[in-house]
Amino acid sequence: MEYLMYEQMERYLAGKMVADEKAAFEALLQTDLRLAERLKEHRTLLNTMQQYGQRQELRSKLNAIHNKMEIENTPGVATPMWQLFWKRHAQTMAVAASVSLLSVFGTLWSVQQMKEPVKQQTAHYVELRREVDKLKKAQTAIIKDINNTTKPAPRPASVSGTGFALSANGYLVTSSHVVEGADSIMIENTSGAKYKVSEVYRDQVHDLSILKVEDAGFAGFSKLPYTFKTTESDLGEMVYTLGYPREDIVFGEGSLSSTSGFQGDTTAYQISIPLNPGNSGGPLLDDKGNLIGVISGKQAGQEGAAFAIKSAYLLQLISELPLATTLSPVSLPKANTLTGNTRPQQLKKLKDFVFVVKVYN
């Protein structure tokens, strides 16, 4: 399948597709964001290879000229007309070559200067996992200091993040950095329902992990009140989230401030909701109660600049689950009962399906 996909991309980029095939492929690009991203990467790779080939060809031509010039100094060999031309105009050509080299190096210097702000911007993007790690270390240090006795203390749980239900039969999702390195995982909602869960599938590229309830007495969640949006949301839409930046569940509201994430990442949205480490893995919903994303990270130094992985990539991960494992497919909800309700009414229906994720290391 991978081979066929790359063959299609190369035929498309080379302009070898017939009109109907090209139209079908471009329509697929509009719906398959992962394919569009791979096409972009493949185009960049081909351009780089083409530029390298051009440089190699120029180097070969220069070497050939250099070899011909050396013949002039060989005794008994007549001087060709092109060498006579070189002798007369060598100074002029040298000046022209110098100007060209200065232009090339000037361009390279400008590109390097443009790269520096990008590096600085990257340094200001903070994945919530870093702050989670800091909190874990601080918590461990405090507990060790308090329990500095000969009697071993029970392992504490780190309140690492948020997760939410995907289906009534016990599947959930969170950020993969929340449960990374966990020995065991527990979830709990505002109603006091507690379950032991395990990580069954992971996508580190998009920082997503699928969890499943393991408790033998688990009878299933009740009917989920939201559905998952399959298309992109519009710029300026009102959005909100529920999460556990502390022990109690916290509501946050804002707008969709960009249809791309940090540095133009097309797999994410930028949202104007202030976030804290515990929000990681929480749901992002629109006014109608459609699930449109999963909270992932924020930009350091800019309060309210946060990001969420788009629901399209979550749905892609869910579709891969039965193919990559022996688990049963995830039965996604088909009816949205949040639409038409006020925000408080939506939150009452939603909160039982949003869980604090407790990690034991």
Side-chain angles (χ1 to χ4, degrees):
M1 291 298 292
E2 290 284 326
Y3 171 77
L4 294 175
M5 179 185 68
Y6 281 107
E7 183 182 24
Q8 278 190 316
M9 290 193 295
E10 289 187 2
R11 292 182 63 248
Y12 176 74
L13 293 173
K16 294 181 179 180
M17 286 186 172
V18 297
D20 291 344
E21 187 181 9
K22 181 180 178 183
F25 187 76
E26 289 177 343
L28 180 62
L29 289 174
Q30 296 295 321
T31 58
D32 192 335
L33 299 177
R34 180 171 291 186
L35 177 62
E37 188 69 21
R38 289 190 178 181
L39 178 66
K40 181 180 177 182
E41 293 173 355
H42 197 62
R43 181 185 283 114
T44 302
L45 174 62
L46 292 178
N47 289 339
T48 303
M49 293 175 65
Q50 184 179 12
Q51 291 171 6
Y52 176 76
Q54 291 172 349
R55 287 198 298 269
Q56 291 296 97
E57 183 180 359
L58 176 60
R59 181 179 295 176
S60 299
K61 290 181 179 179
L62 291 174
N63 287 337
I65 294 172
H66 179 72
N67 292 335
K68 289 182 180 179
M69 289 173 63
E70 287 183 346
I71 296 175
E72 182 182 7
N73 296 323
T74 304
V77 179
T79 303
M81 289 298 297
W82 71 268
Q83 291 186 17
L84 295 174
F85 177 82
W86 172 262
K87 287 182 178 180
R88 293 178 183 178
H89 302 285
Q91 186 174 2
T92 302
M93 293 173 69
V95 171
S98 299
V99 171
S100 298
L101 285 172
L102 286 172
S103 175
V104 170
F105 284 118
T107 302
L108 290 174
W109 181 85
S110 300
V111 171
Q112 184 62 32
Q113 293 299 108
M114 290 172 66
K115 286 182 179 179
E116 290 303 318
V118 174
K119 292 179 180 178
Q120 294 171 5
Q121 290 174 8
T122 303
H124 289 297
Y125 177 68
V126 178
E127 289 182 336
L128 295 179
R129 74 179 72 187
R130 297 180 186 175
E131 297 188 29
V132 169
D133 290 339
K134 288 180 183 178
L135 290 178
K136 287 180 179 179
K137 289 178 181 178
Q139 184 187 48
T140 302
I142 292 170
I143 291 168
K144 284 183 178 179
D145 185 58
I146 293 173
N147 298 289
N148 189 17
T149 64
T150 56
K151 183 180 179 180
R155 282 190 311 169
S158 300
V159 179
S160 298
T162 304
F164 60 94
L166 295 176
S167 65
N169 59 337
Y171 287 100
L172 304 97
V173 66
T174 187
S175 296
S176 62
H177 70 262
V178 169
V179 294
E180 188 172 4
D183 291 334
S184 58
I185 311 167
M186 297 288 295
I187 59 170
E188 183 177 356
N189 64 11
T190 56
S191 300
K194 300 179 182 179
Y195 304 103
K196 183 179 180 181
V197 299
S198 62
E199 184 184 41
V200 295
Y201 198 47
R202 168 178 292 207
D203 181 355
Q204 286 187 306
V205 174
H206 300 107
D207 194 23
L208 296 172
S209 284
I210 295 180
L211 312 177
K212 193 172 192 310
V213 176
E214 287 186 332
D215 285 351
F218 176 70
F221 302 130
S222 56
K223 188 176 181 181
L224 274 62
Y226 45 86
T227 51
F228 296 78
K229 193 169 183 179
T230 57
T231 58
E232 283 208 9
S233 296
D234 295 325
L235 188 68
E237 280 192 45
M238 295 302 296
V239 293
Y240 68 96
T241 186
L242 280 177
Y244 286 89
R246 58 184 192 186
E247 291 186 8
D248 296 324
I249 196 166
V250 176
F251 164 71
E253 188 174 37
S255 60
L256 201 154
S257 50
S258 176
T259 55
S260 61
F262 185 70
Q263 292 185 347
D265 180 10
T266 57
T267 68
Y269 294 120
Q270 180 174 327
I271 53 176
S272 61
I273 301 177
L275 297 179
N276 290 300
N279 286 110
S280 225
L284 181 68
L285 301 102
D286 62 17
D287 261 345
K288 297 178 181 178
N290 295 307
L291 194 291
I292 68 169
V294 182
I295 301 298
S296 61
K298 68 177 183 179
Q299 190 166 345
Q302 293 191 19
E303 196 65 30
F307 305 96
I309 299 298
K310 295 176 181 178
S311 56
Y313 294 91
L314 172 59
L315 293 173
Q316 179 69 32
L317 183 65
I318 292 170
S319 69
E320 293 171 358
L321 180 66
L323 301 176
T325 69
T326 58
L327 296 170
S328 58
V330 179
S331 302
L332 295 175
K334 295 180 173 58
N336 187 337
T337 60
L338 299 179
T339 304
N341 289 279
T342 64
R343 183 71 78 245
Q345 290 172 334
Q346 288 181 341
L347 297 178
K348 286 179 181 179
K349 292 185 176 184
L350 178 64
K351 64 182 181 179
D352 284 344
F353 301 92
V354 179
F355 297 81
V356 57
V357 178
K358 297 183 178 181
V359 175
Y360 295 81
N361 296 312

